[in-house]
Amino acid sequence: MNNKLLDSLNPQQLQAVKHKDGPCMVYAGPGSGKTTVITYRLIHLIHSCGVNPQNILVITFTKAAAEEMKARFEKTNEINNRRNMVNFGTFHSVFFRVIRSYLGYDLSDILSEKDKYILIKNIVKTLSLQHGEDDEFIKEIILELGLYYSNYLKREEFIPSTMSKLDFDRLVHYYENYKQDNKKIDFDDMLIKCYSLLKSNANMLEKLRKQYQYILIDEFQDINMIQFEIIKLLVSPLNNVFVVGDDDQSIYSFRGANPQFILEFDKIYPTTKKIIINVNYRCQKKVIDGANTLISKNLVRVSKNIEAFKVSGGNVAYFSPRSREEEKMEVCMMIQDCLQRGYQYSDIAIIFRTNILANGMVDALLDHRIPYYCKDQVYNIYEHWVAKDILSYLRCANNIVDRDALRKIINKPTRYIPKKALEEANNYHKDLITSLKVKGSLLPYQIKLLDQLELDLKTISTLSTSDAINYIRSGLGYDEYIENYCLEKKIGSNSFFELLDELEEVSIKYPSHHSFLQHIEAFKDKLKEPKKREVGKDEVHLLTMHSAKGLEYGVVIIVDAIEGIIPHSKSLEVDEQLEEERRLFYVAITRAKEELYIYAPKYRFDRKVSASRFIEEMQYDTPAKEELKVGREIFHKVFGRGFVEGMTEKIIKIRFAKNNQVKDLDVNICLQNNIFRE
């Protein structure tokens, strides 16, 4: 192996690269060069240890990662020919090759994601489950099916969150029958069938063990139960398994990933060599210092302290605008400030906790003509069945003869109007409520409820959009209806109320119902526009914390860093989930190479909220009074980035970048309340 390659490594990286036989667990912190370690170890095994490259298997979690790893290896490797080919692939591609060879499956047997979506939607309709037309509901079911199958060995313990256990079991039964009848498999089946094959066919297992004598796994913290069980079968008895990961970046529990697999690796393999690669080559020291103090609050982790290779420079600042509207405006101004200081749009990322939060930010960027690219599909809250219910109320209030809208909400909350009554009244009069009273064979109490609905709709028509939505939720009892619906289905209600709150807040900008409904249609049309991305196009990136993993940007802006969002409200009752939320925030802040800005609005949905506990846990440094000299750059919690222009014993003069205005502030009050950040 070329000594120049080895000379470029730090001592921990070199130790990992030179490991040959037996199990090895490499804890690689963010920006620590793990791809380099894997690539150089492959070359070391081949050129220095005489290992046949065809006996090496490298497994990653995404096709893009596998291709990048392969390209890095081929570029660095001194000899590159067919006999020198290492096996690269994802878990699914590697295990599909196994069942393809031994069970006769072909690519045409794989159920595409599109066909799977249509199939699940049809099963939901067949089972007469509510809201089967809602696209987001179907996506949630598919995600939950993946979690169910990833915990293959503990399926009996699985508790669904999208529907009752009984309904979920029925759905799985129909889904399995369809695949069996049509000789189809999905991506989860590739793993399950491979595991079953390895357990039942000793000769085939032995053949694979001889073929793959050295196995390397990237992003090991993302592994799920069924994947790990297969790996354990393949590596035995040599146990030449080299895994690279970071327990502090384990953020995919919703896919079945569990940090216990990486934390207990040495218990499964007692002879494991453990190596910590702790030099971060990506982030400035201020970012790393905050990240270290944050993640140290987690109890279930391998103790490690990441060191910054870049020991100087970098900015970390926290802002608390009054509202989310102010937050979006300030973020756009911060982007313009970054451009003036030499950054490109593509150097900047806006990171949020959940997709639902992207709607308002997209609107703000469009208003300020800032080009953007959403890494995740923008969550269209208006397509969710809950939003459709609220919009149907608005449509009915402004057009009492809108039959489709009225039928959608006639029993939300319940007014005890049976389907038979709706059918009997359908063709009598264009006004469905009148038709029901005359032809619906209703009892007096049902007619009284319809009279009340008419009054409510008239009231709604006189209110501003946000007041109307609030009236629907509180006055009509729609929130109570949602709560009862969730109790009946034995599912959580947080996501529904989060969506309702988001809908109500967006509506504040559109006082008239008509303008709000117009905005929704325009937003839908905007999302439908095909967005062809040019490689290297200069755009601000919008992405969730989950999607940010593995990426890096010169400037990272984290929005809505408030309690209830990050950490998410659903995680607050379980310690394990709270620790994952902290890991998620850790991943987000370590995407920043140079500058990190965190925004935490003081009010959300007109309710006072608290800044995320994670901000305080980062323990920002506050400059001392004697350090506040003329020309010093500081960050104010509210006004943002500025420069000291003058200083007396009591007053500090600061010129703020976002409006170029000078403000006189009481220096002692600012320091006592930690309003300044370095």
Side-chain angles (χ1 to χ4, degrees):
M1 183 176 180
N2 190 334
N3 284 331
K4 288 183 180 179
L5 295 180
L6 297 181
D7 290 342
S8 66
L9 303 175
N10 65 43
Q12 293 85 4
Q13 290 175 326
L14 185 61
Q15 185 184 9
V17 166
K18 288 191 170 183
H19 175 80
K20 183 176 181 289
D21 295 321
C24 183
M25 175 71 247
V26 178
Y27 298 96
S32 61
K34 64 182 180 61
T35 304
T36 298
V37 166
I38 293 174
T39 304
Y40 285 18
R41 180 172 186 258
L42 294 175
I43 297 169
H44 178 73
L45 285 176
I46 295 166
H47 295 286
S48 300
C49 303
V51 175
N52 185 337
Q54 294 182 345
N55 292 142
I56 302 173
L57 172 64
V58 180
I59 302 178
T60 65
F61 279 83
T62 66
K63 184 179 178 182
E67 289 175 348
E68 180 193 354
M69 195 81 71
K70 183 177 180 180
R72 286 275 293 272
F73 169 70
E74 291 178 348
K75 182 179 179 181
T76 312
N77 195 16
E78 296 166 347
I79 304 171
N80 189 15
N81 54 50
R82 293 296 301 173
R83 290 181 303 165
N84 207 35
M85 291 300 290
V86 170
N87 300 281
F88 291 88
T90 64
F91 276 99
H92 288 98
S93 67
V94 170
F95 298 156
F96 179 67
R97 288 201 296 266
V98 173
I99 63 172
R100 185 176 188 174
S101 300
Y102 292 92
L103 298 179
Y105 285 105
D106 198 74
L107 289 172
S108 60
D109 298 320
I110 300 174
L111 188 67
S112 72
E113 290 301 298
K114 181 180 179 181
D115 289 341
K116 181 176 181 177
Y117 176 88
I118 295 169
L119 173 58
I120 296 299
K121 194 166 188 174
N122 287 334
I123 293 174
V124 168
K125 288 181 183 176
T126 302
L127 295 175
S128 299
L129 298 178
Q130 282 182 286
H131 316 302
E133 293 297 325
D134 180 52
D135 292 340
E136 294 302 328
F137 180 58
I138 303 301
K139 290 175 186 175
E140 288 170 8
I141 292 173
I142 291 173
L143 193 64
E144 194 153 69
L145 279 171
L147 184 58
Y148 169 75
Y149 286 115
S150 71
N151 287 284
Y152 175 69
L153 301 179
K154 293 184 178 180
R155 285 185 296 181
E156 300 76 17
E157 301 174 12
F158 184 79
I159 300 174
S161 62
T162 53
M163 63 188 76
S164 69
K165 182 76 163 61
L166 178 63
D167 285 340
F168 187 80
D169 289 342
R170 290 165 63 210
L171 185 143
V172 169
H173 176 73
Y174 274 79
Y175 182 53
E176 288 299 322
N177 282 350
Y178 174 88
K179 289 188 293 181
Q180 188 173 346
D181 293 344
N182 293 274
K183 296 185 171 120
K184 292 287 186 181
I185 61 170
D186 63 13
F187 286 97
D188 296 314
D189 291 324
M190 293 178 189
L191 308 183
I192 293 168
K193 290 186 180 297
C194 184
Y195 173 75
S196 300
L197 184 63
L198 293 175
K199 290 286 286 184
S200 62
N201 191 325
N203 290 334
M204 184 274 299
L205 175 58
E206 188 58 33
K207 184 177 178 181
L208 286 173
R209 285 172 173 172
K210 287 181 179 178
Q211 181 180 352
Y212 301 131
Q213 294 180 25
Y214 289 86
I215 296 181
L216 295 84
I217 304 173
D218 187 24
E219 302 285 9
F220 188 70
Q221 75 279 348
D222 296 337
I223 201 166
N224 64 36
M225 180 184 293
I226 189 70
Q227 291 166 340
F228 197 17
E229 291 301 319
I230 295 172
I231 292 299
K232 285 193 283 187
L233 287 172
L234 284 177
V235 302
S236 180
L238 296 176
N239 294 334
N240 290 330
V241 55
F242 182 93
V243 299
V244 181
D246 183 7
D247 52 299
D248 291 332
Q249 296 186 73
S250 179
I251 59 173
Y252 293 122
S253 62
F254 66 92
R255 295 181 190 165
N258 189 329
Q260 291 301 325
F261 297 133
I262 190 170
L263 293 171
E264 298 179 0
F265 187 81
D266 58 340
K267 293 180 182 177
I268 298 167
Y269 300 105
T271 60
T272 296
K273 175 187 268 188
K274 292 189 286 187
I275 302 168
I276 295 176
I277 302 177
N278 67 334
V279 178
N280 179 294
Y281 294 93
R282 174 193 300 150
C283 311
Q284 300 283 5
K285 187 176 186 299
K286 287 183 180 179
V287 176
I288 293 301
D289 288 345
N292 278 333
T293 55
L294 169 77
I295 203 63
S296 67
K297 305 299 186 294
N298 270 4
L299 300 177
V300 183
R301 65 185 291 262
V302 173
S303 180
K304 63 186 89 68
N305 192 64
I306 305 303
E307 298 175 3
F309 183 76
K310 304 172 183 176
V311 294
S312 61
N315 292 321
V316 178
Y318 154 64
F319 307 110
S320 54
R322 178 174 174 79
S323 66
R324 293 178 74 204
E325 279 304 308
E326 282 190 19
E327 174 189 51
K328 285 177 274 192
M329 181 188 71
E330 288 187 19
V331 166
C332 291
M333 295 178 73
M334 174 62 76
I335 291 170
Q336 300 296 357
D337 180 53
C338 290
L339 293 178
Q340 291 173 10
R341 290 186 285 114
Y343 286 105
Q344 302 294 311
Y345 285 121
S346 56
D347 295 323
I348 304 167
I350 302 172
I351 301 179
F352 32 83
R353 171 63 179 84
T354 60
N355 238 349
I356 197 172
L357 301 170
N359 285 259
M361 190 55 66
V362 166
D363 273 348
L365 294 175
L366 288 171
D367 289 344
H368 287 79
R369 297 185 177 180
I370 295 174
Y372 70 90
Y373 164 66
C374 287
K375 190 172 187 296
D376 310 89
Q377 183 179 356
V378 175
Y379 187 108
N380 189 348
I381 61 173
Y382 311 118
E383 290 296 328
H384 195 285
W385 64 266
V386 168
K388 287 179 178 178
D389 285 350
I390 300 298
L391 299 178
S392 293
Y393 267 110
L394 296 180
R395 290 190 174 100
C396 290
N398 292 278
N399 180 13
I400 195 67
V401 296
D402 189 330
R403 281 174 171 268
D404 290 337
L406 192 57
R407 288 174 72 94
K408 184 178 282 294
I409 53 88
I410 196 77
N411 281 312
K412 295 180 179 180
T414 184
R415 297 179 179 90
Y416 307 100
I417 308 300
K419 286 184 180 179
K420 185 179 179 183
L422 289 166
E423 291 168 2
E424 290 174 350
N426 196 41
N427 297 315
Y428 175 69
H429 192 277
K430 64 180 182 178
D431 182 340
L432 183 58
I433 292 180
T434 300
S435 299
L436 283 165
K437 290 178 181 178
V438 176
K439 291 290 185 179
S441 303
L442 300 179
L443 296 172
Y445 82 92
Q446 293 168 312
I447 293 175
K448 187 176 180 181
L449 288 169
L450 288 179
D451 289 338
Q452 183 60 49
L453 175 59
E454 282 188 295
L455 289 173
D456 286 331
L457 291 173
K458 286 178 183 176
T459 300
I460 291 168
S461 69
T462 66
L463 300 173
S464 69
T465 310
S466 60
D467 287 342
I469 294 175
N470 184 269
Y471 182 82
I472 294 164
R473 296 180 63 180
S474 303
L476 268 71
Y478 188 80
D479 276 10
E480 187 178 355
Y481 160 75
I482 290 295
E483 200 68 70
N484 291 334
Y485 169 82
C486 293
L487 285 171
E488 179 189 341
K489 298 293 181 183
K490 295 183 175 62
I491 59 177
S493 60
N494 280 342
S495 60
F496 296 110
F497 289 122
E498 183 180 2
L499 188 144
L500 284 164
D501 287 343
E502 191 75 18
L503 187 71
E504 190 173 335
E505 185 174 62
V506 171
S507 72
I508 294 171
K509 286 177 64 177
Y510 307 93
S512 81
H513 301 185
H514 179 68
S515 64
F516 184 50
L517 295 171
Q518 273 191 324
H519 160 72
I520 290 168
E521 291 307 312
F523 188 81
K524 287 180 182 177
D525 291 341
K526 184 69 182 175
L527 292 186
K528 288 177 185 175
E529 290 179 12
K531 191 169 176 64
K532 293 182 180 178
R533 291 207 72 239
E534 299 171 16
V535 177
K537 190 169 183 182
D538 193 23
E539 301 166 311
V540 172
H541 285 206
L542 272 68
L543 59 168
T544 63
M545 291 181 175
H546 284 101
S547 296
K549 188 163 166 289
L551 303 176
E552 58 182 41
Y553 299 90
V555 179
V556 165
I557 300 170
I558 298 175
V559 295
D560 295 313
I562 59 177
E563 288 288 304
I565 291 184
I566 182 71
H568 200 276
S569 54
K570 65 185 179 184
S571 71
L572 297 179
E573 296 177 2
V574 183
D575 289 342
E576 289 179 10
Q577 291 180 2
L578 181 59
E579 292 215 347
E580 177 155 333
E581 290 289 301
R582 190 175 284 109
R583 293 194 293 268
L584 198 54
F585 199 67
Y586 175 79
V587 166
I589 64 181
T590 53
R591 301 310 96 196
K593 292 194 290 185
E594 293 151 12
E595 301 186 10
L596 172 66
Y597 303 114
I598 303 172
Y599 287 81
K602 294 177 181 176
Y603 288 85
R604 188 178 187 229
F605 313 134
D606 286 331
R607 296 191 291 271
K608 189 168 178 57
V609 292
S610 301
S612 170
R613 68 191 70 186
F614 300 151
I615 294 173
E616 189 63 33
E617 289 177 0
M618 287 177 68
Q619 296 179 1
Y620 288 107
D621 291 329
T622 301
K625 188 172 182 179
E626 57 271 17
E627 296 175 326
L628 295 174
K629 297 177 181 177
V630 174
R632 169 71 183 267
E633 181 184 30
I634 58 96
F635 289 86
H636 189 282
K637 275 190 178 182
V638 177
F639 303 122
R641 178 170 168 266
F643 294 88
V644 178
E645 289 207 345
M647 182 90 173
T648 66
E649 185 64 28
K650 292 185 177 180
I651 300 297
I652 182 170
K653 289 181 177 289
I654 303 174
R655 182 177 296 279
F656 290 99
K658 70 179 182 181
N659 53 18
N660 202 34
Q661 290 183 352
V662 176
K663 290 185 179 291
D664 291 349
L665 303 173
D666 187 308
V667 66
N668 293 316
I669 289 176
C670 288
L671 291 174
Q672 287 166 12
N673 292 279
N674 294 325
I675 290 173
F676 292 150
R677 304 293 190 193
E678 284 192 288

